[in-house]
Amino acid sequence: MTHRIIEESEMIINPNGTIFHLHLHPEQLTDRIILCGDPGRVDMIASFFNTKEFEVSSREFHTIGGTYNGKPIMALSHGIGPDNMDIVINELDALANIDFKTRQIKDHHRTLTMVRIGTSGALQPELKLGTPVIAEKAIGFDGVLNFYAKRNDVTDFNFEQAFCKAVKWNPLWAKPYIVDADAELVARIGGNDMVRGNTISAVGFYGPQGRELRLELAHPQLNNLIENFNYKGRKITNYEMESAPLQGFAKMLGHKAMTVCCIIANRMNHDATPNYKTAINDLIATVIERI
């Protein structure tokens, strides 16, 4: 089988043979990957590893690879925001499924399992601080997935239409997309002790999540409309910034992915805690054991 050759300008390989942003070699890639936003949290995740084989840092992308219970595993930070997921997931897939010597797609597809551990703000009053919420359905406000041809193949169109109508979606904003997490992974990681949620991936932290400091909001009632939205029994549970593009890119590229977030603020109850490290540490321990 003959494949097209991917040009140097399309997939940049560093002089040392690593992928452009992540600075990882193909042979360093593991099938199981735990993702997080904060580069510093990578050390917390890797503290659970039995061995540490390598460590690489480039910009906000910090990676530690090692083993847990005899199996290879990596912890990798993606930084803040949905646009970063375009870089991280495309480059992880390139490490897995593109031959760096020939610049051609490999005949045999390699599937990665990726779980993102994050923090989040709740949009339902019953979600207590410290609760782990899985983005069973992730709702992307960023529009990144809309630049790809197979976007409609992995999204829930009817949910999207109902959501846009109910919240009076501003036509100046990018069209939302809704993507399911991998069902088997949700069952395995979530067990019977994690909330299955419907999570918004916002394109920013302040205005896009309804926070108002000195700039007025274009749609001040958006969060109230989101809180009251219900589609076939599904309510919107929480805000974060990366689950939708992670799950969307993973589905399009043939990987397994999901996000689970620790609730550190409740937007409806107006409470928050900056002291969430213990809850995150417990969540990391659970995910590593179950992945």
Side-chain angles (χ1 to χ4, degrees):
M1 182 182 295
T2 302
H3 298 295
R4 67 181 176 92
I5 295 176
I6 299 171
E7 300 291 341
E8 292 185 16
S9 60
E10 307 306 293
M11 184 181 76
I12 301 173
I13 299 175
N14 297 316
N16 66 351
T18 59
I19 195 69
F20 187 50
H21 295 91
L22 301 184
H23 281 235
L24 293 174
H25 292 276
E27 58 269 23
Q28 291 176 313
L29 182 69
T30 63
D31 289 338
R32 299 181 304 157
I33 305 167
I34 297 179
L35 298 164
C36 61
D38 182 1
R41 195 171 294 156
V42 170
D43 293 297
M44 184 186 297
I45 296 168
S47 69
F48 288 87
F49 294 177
N50 300 132
T51 65
K52 296 178 186 178
E53 310 297 335
F54 68 88
E55 182 171 5
V56 177
S57 290
S58 173
R59 307 185 194 189
E60 62 265 57
F61 310 116
H62 177 202
T63 308
I64 296 177
T67 61
Y68 181 77
N69 286 345
K71 297 180 179 179
I73 192 168
M74 276 171 39
L76 187 156
S77 63
H78 49 68
I80 297 176
D83 52 328
N84 276 15
M85 302 310 291
D86 177 69
I87 293 171
V88 171
I89 307 306
N90 272 297
E91 292 197 359
L92 287 174
D93 179 74
L95 290 165
N97 292 303
I98 298 176
D99 189 312
F100 276 34
K101 293 180 179 178
T102 66
R103 292 185 164 271
Q104 293 180 323
I105 297 171
K106 296 176 181 178
D107 291 331
H108 176 72
H109 179 270
R110 179 180 176 185
T111 300
L112 304 177
T113 297
M114 298 174 283
V115 178
R116 179 180 116 72
I117 298 174
T119 55
S120 182
L123 288 167
Q124 298 299 330
E126 67 272 16
L127 289 175
K128 301 183 185 299
L129 301 183
T131 300
V133 177
I134 292 173
E136 190 170 34
K137 281 187 179 289
I139 304 159
F141 280 11
D142 52 278
V144 171
L145 220 67
N146 298 340
F147 287 88
Y148 292 87
K150 294 186 177 180
R151 175 254 200 235
N152 289 344
D153 294 347
V154 302
T155 57
D156 188 332
F157 180 76
N158 291 330
F159 198 139
E160 292 171 10
Q161 294 295 100
F163 178 81
C164 288
K165 181 178 180 180
V167 304
K168 302 175 182 178
W169 189 257
N170 189 330
L172 293 176
W173 301 340
K175 181 175 172 54
Y177 59 91
I178 299 174
V179 187
D180 291 344
D182 182 84
E184 184 278 327
L185 196 55
V186 167
R188 178 166 23 122
I189 300 296
N192 58 8
D193 54 3
M194 294 185 187
V195 173
R196 270 63 164 174
N198 305 288
T199 300
I200 290 172
S201 293
V203 72
F205 183 78
Y206 290 97
Q209 294 188 36
R211 290 184 173 91
E212 187 172 357
L213 302 185
R214 291 206 319 118
L215 294 174
E216 295 181 15
L217 300 175
H219 191 350
Q221 298 305 313
L222 180 61
N223 277 357
N224 289 334
L225 293 171
I226 290 172
E227 180 192 6
N228 294 316
F229 173 75
N230 188 313
Y231 179 72
K232 297 182 178 180
R234 288 185 171 272
K235 293 183 177 182
I236 308 302
T237 48
N238 57 311
Y239 266 125
E240 50 82 80
M241 295 176 66
E242 296 90 12
S243 62
L246 164 62
Q247 293 171 193
F249 285 125
K251 274 193 177 297
M252 289 194 293
L253 290 165
H255 303 297
K256 300 161 70 73
M258 59 161 278
T259 289
V260 56
C261 287
C262 177
I263 298 299
I264 66 167
N266 191 300
R267 305 296 301 284
M268 301 301 110
N269 298 340
H270 306 289
D271 57 359
T273 175
N275 301 314
Y276 53 84
K277 287 189 176 181
T278 298
I280 283 286
N281 196 68
D282 292 343
L283 182 56
I284 290 169
T286 300
V287 169
I288 287 181
E289 190 65 34
R290 295 176 181 175
I291 196 174

